[in-house]
């Protein structure tokens, strides 16, 4: 029995976004390779095995792939119902990092929660928790976002998350969260004058935070002239320049980086893009950037085709956080903005970040699948209705005419 055209179109527009999934898996696989290349030497010297970082990255990739698949098959609208639960969990995790014995302190900051097989960076989860809350709040009533009073709940929640993150302290993720909050409000339709009333105090607060902490001010000065302190604050940026410069157009070859031999700090995480530039050159860097641009475009396309406002804002928020982190990371590594620690999505070492970002791709795929399914009827071709003519009536008309 043949399927009708409507059923065919319904099945057609209910498929996954294969290009988005493929580019995600390609970036993750490339990230595993680069984490091994950039972190094998430091892993062996510090932790006794060159596979230390890559084991954790493989674990994150496996869990992230499972989460991406499950969320792709789950109706994304359930996130709207669970928005307060997700937000509460995010804030609780941010608070837990300050509990001794639970939160892990590294390099003078408490940002991680210790688990048996890997650690969780609570701020990674909080960013996506905020996206879900903001998308649900703005998408419920469109008129809320047009008034300054209406945007205060989003600003309040974003402010609480930023406050907890800066206490860790983590200036880079705090700035990332603040930019994400402004982006969500802008995408939701907030007025420019209201956004300026938020942006101006945020800029003032950022300046104050830089001035009250001497190391932040030194980092700013190192950005202006890193050779003023080549063995201190300017050291990391200079080593990043060396790596990118040595790569030339086509790089020195995979596994042949020299900066990863403890010359470039955090070569497997925050500055992995410098190792990519050294081993694959400008050509490799452009390919990675093209992959991110393709991913962000697919996410925005999904946002435009979403069947409801919540899905549209959710997809836009995920696209925004990917774009923000990619832009900031590459800008830092290339010396375009002051140095700050922010990982490169899908590539930098870090299990929790990898799992969360792959989960975000799963949500995007869920939005895509359900948006096309709900709008498939728009693409259905009209059926031709055959009307049988009555022969007796036809012959009677002829006789009357005669």
């Amino acid at each position: 029995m043949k399927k009708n055209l409507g059923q065919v179109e319904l099945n057609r527009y209910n498929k996954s976004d294969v290009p988005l999934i493929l580019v995600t898996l390609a970036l993750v696989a490339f990230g595993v390779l680069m984490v091994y290349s950039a972190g094998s030497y430091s892993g062996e010297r510090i932790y006794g095995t060159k596979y230390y970082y890559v084991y954790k990255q493989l674990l994150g990739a496996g869990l992230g792939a499972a989460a991406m698949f499950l969320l792709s098959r789950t109706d994304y609208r359930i996130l709207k119902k669970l928005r307060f639960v997700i937000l509460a969990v995010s804030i609780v995790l941010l608070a837990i990092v300050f509990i001794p014995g639970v939160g892990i302190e590294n390099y003078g900051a408490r940002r991680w929660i210790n688990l048996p097989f890997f650690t969780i960076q609570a701020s990674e989860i909080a960013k996506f928790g905020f996206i879900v809350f903001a998308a649900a709040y703005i998408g419920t009533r469109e008129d809320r976002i047009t008034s300054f009073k209406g945007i205060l709940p989003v600003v309040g929640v974003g402010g609480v998350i930023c406050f907890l993150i800066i206490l860790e302290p983590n200036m880079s993720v705090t700035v990332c969260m603040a930019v994400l909050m402004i982006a969500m409000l802008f995408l939701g339709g907030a007025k420019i004058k209201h956004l300026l009333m938020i942006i101006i105090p945020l800029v003032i607060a950022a300046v104050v935070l830089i001035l009250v902490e001497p190391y932040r001010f030194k980092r700013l000065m190192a950005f202006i002239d890193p050779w003023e302190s080549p063995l201190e604050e300017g050291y990391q940026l200079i080593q990043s320049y060396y790596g990118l410069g040595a790569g030339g157009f086509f790089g020195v070859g995979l596994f042949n980086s020299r900066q990863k031999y403890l010359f470039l700090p955090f070569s497997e995480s925050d500055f992995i893009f410098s190792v990519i530039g050294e081993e694959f050159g400008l050509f490799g860097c452009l390919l990675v950037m093209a992959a991110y641009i393709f991913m962000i475009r697919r996410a925005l396309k999904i946002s435009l085709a979403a069947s409801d406002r919540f899905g549209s804002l959710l997809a836009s928020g995920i696209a925004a956080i990917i774009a923000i982190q990619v832009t900031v990371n590459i800008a830092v590594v290339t010396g375009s903005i002051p140095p700050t620690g922010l990982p490169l999505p899908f590539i930098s070492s870090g299990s929790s970040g990898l799992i969360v970002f792959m989960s975000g791709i799963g949500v995007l795929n869920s939005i895509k699948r359900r948006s096309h399914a709900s709008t498939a009827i728009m693409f259905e071709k009209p059926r031709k209705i055959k009307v049988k003519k009555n022969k007796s009536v036809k012959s009677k008309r002829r006789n009357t005419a005669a």
Side-chain angles (χ1 to χ4, degrees):
M1 190 173 180
K2 292 183 179 180
K3 295 180 179 179
N4 58 53
L5 290 172
Q7 185 64 35
V8 172
E9 293 296 330
L10 182 62
N11 291 337
R12 176 185 171 186
Y13 287 93
N14 203 32
K15 292 182 179 179
S16 297
D17 194 325
V18 176
L20 177 64
I21 294 174
L22 289 179
V23 75
T24 301
L25 295 178
L27 283 172
V28 172
F30 181 68
V32 172
L33 182 67
M34 291 310 303
V35 166
Y36 172 72
S37 176
S40 57
Y41 183 79
S42 60
E44 187 172 15
R45 291 293 299 270
I46 299 172
Y47 299 102
T49 172
K50 62 181 180 179
Y51 302 109
Y52 175 80
Y53 293 110
V54 76
Y55 279 154
K56 295 175 66 177
Q57 197 73 358
L58 284 170
L59 177 61
L63 294 175
M68 184 172 67
F69 175 79
L70 290 174
L71 288 170
S72 295
R73 299 288 172 176
T74 304
D75 192 340
Y76 69 92
R77 287 178 284 254
I78 194 174
L79 297 176
K80 186 176 182 180
K81 297 178 181 178
L82 298 175
R83 61 189 182 275
F84 294 114
V85 175
I86 296 171
L87 181 63
V89 170
S90 301
I91 294 176
V92 168
L93 289 176
L94 285 173
I96 285 177
V97 299
F98 300 107
I99 300 176
V102 179
I104 300 174
E105 182 174 354
N106 280 327
Y107 305 103
R110 286 185 172 273
R111 304 173 185 175
W112 301 271
I113 299 172
N114 193 19
L115 292 178
F117 298 103
F118 61 95
T119 58
I120 291 179
Q121 189 169 357
S123 57
E124 295 289 346
I125 299 173
K127 286 181 290 189
F128 279 85
F130 173 77
I131 291 173
V132 172
F133 168 79
Y137 175 80
I138 298 171
T140 303
R141 283 177 52 188
E142 297 184 21
D143 59 330
R144 285 177 172 176
I145 206 68
T146 57
S147 67
F148 184 74
K149 183 180 179 180
I151 67 175
L152 288 181
V154 177
V155 176
V157 170
V160 170
I161 294 175
C162 287
F163 177 73
L164 290 173
I165 294 174
I166 198 63
L167 288 179
E168 295 178 347
N170 195 334
M171 179 72 173
S172 56
V173 178
T174 303
V175 173
C176 180
M177 258 299 308
V179 175
L180 176 63
M181 179 178 67
I182 297 298
M184 290 298 295
L185 291 172
F186 176 77
L187 293 169
K191 295 181 179 179
I192 300 298
K193 63 179 181 180
H194 294 157
L195 292 178
L196 290 175
M197 294 172 66
I198 301 170
I199 293 172
I200 292 174
L202 286 177
V203 172
I204 295 173
V207 173
V208 172
L209 289 172
I210 292 173
L211 294 177
V212 296
E213 288 289 351
Y215 79 91
R216 290 177 185 149
F217 184 74
K218 289 180 180 179
R219 279 188 179 184
L220 180 61
M221 293 298 102
F223 160 71
I224 297 173
D225 184 10
W227 281 272
E228 183 70 24
S229 55
L231 298 178
E232 295 179 3
E233 282 75 17
Y235 176 80
Q236 192 174 29
L237 185 55
I238 291 173
Q239 296 304 316
S240 179
Y241 287 156
Y242 287 158
L244 293 171
F249 283 101
F250 298 103
V252 298
L254 181 62
F255 305 134
N256 292 328
S257 168
R258 292 182 291 271
Q259 293 306 110
K260 67 183 180 183
Y261 293 110
L262 300 184
F263 291 107
L264 178 63
F266 305 107
S267 60
E268 76 287 343
S269 55
D270 297 342
F271 277 76
I272 199 169
F273 192 76
S274 180
V275 179
I276 294 173
E278 186 179 5
E279 294 189 349
F280 294 96
L282 177 63
F283 180 74
C285 290
L286 291 176
L287 281 180
V288 172
M289 292 169 68
Y292 281 121
I293 291 172
F294 178 82
M295 175 183 285
I296 295 166
R297 285 192 63 186
R298 297 297 297 186
L300 292 176
K301 185 177 180 181
I302 291 171
S303 172
L304 292 174
S307 59
D308 62 347
R309 186 167 168 79
F310 170 68
S312 179
L313 289 169
L314 188 59
S316 298
I318 294 172
I321 191 58
I322 295 172
I324 291 168
Q325 286 208 198
V326 170
T327 302
V328 171
N329 181 274
I330 294 177
V332 167
V333 170
T334 57
S336 303
I337 62 174
T340 184
L342 205 61
L344 189 62
F346 305 101
I347 293 180
S348 289
S349 174
S351 300
S352 56
L354 183 57
I355 294 170
V356 171
F357 273 103
M358 292 184 74
S359 299
I361 298 299
V363 174
L364 283 174
N365 196 36
S366 175
I367 297 171
K368 189 264 181 186
R369 285 164 55 85
R370 282 147 188 84
S371 62
H372 284 297
S374 62
T375 56
I377 192 65
M378 296 173 61
F379 300 94
E380 184 177 350
K381 295 180 180 179
R383 299 178 185 179
K384 292 182 179 180
I385 301 175
K386 294 182 179 180
V387 180
K388 294 182 179 180
K389 296 181 179 180
N390 193 323
K391 292 182 179 181
S392 60
V393 175
K394 186 176 180 181
S395 59
K396 185 177 180 180
R397 286 179 178 176
R398 287 178 179 177
N399 294 333
T400 304

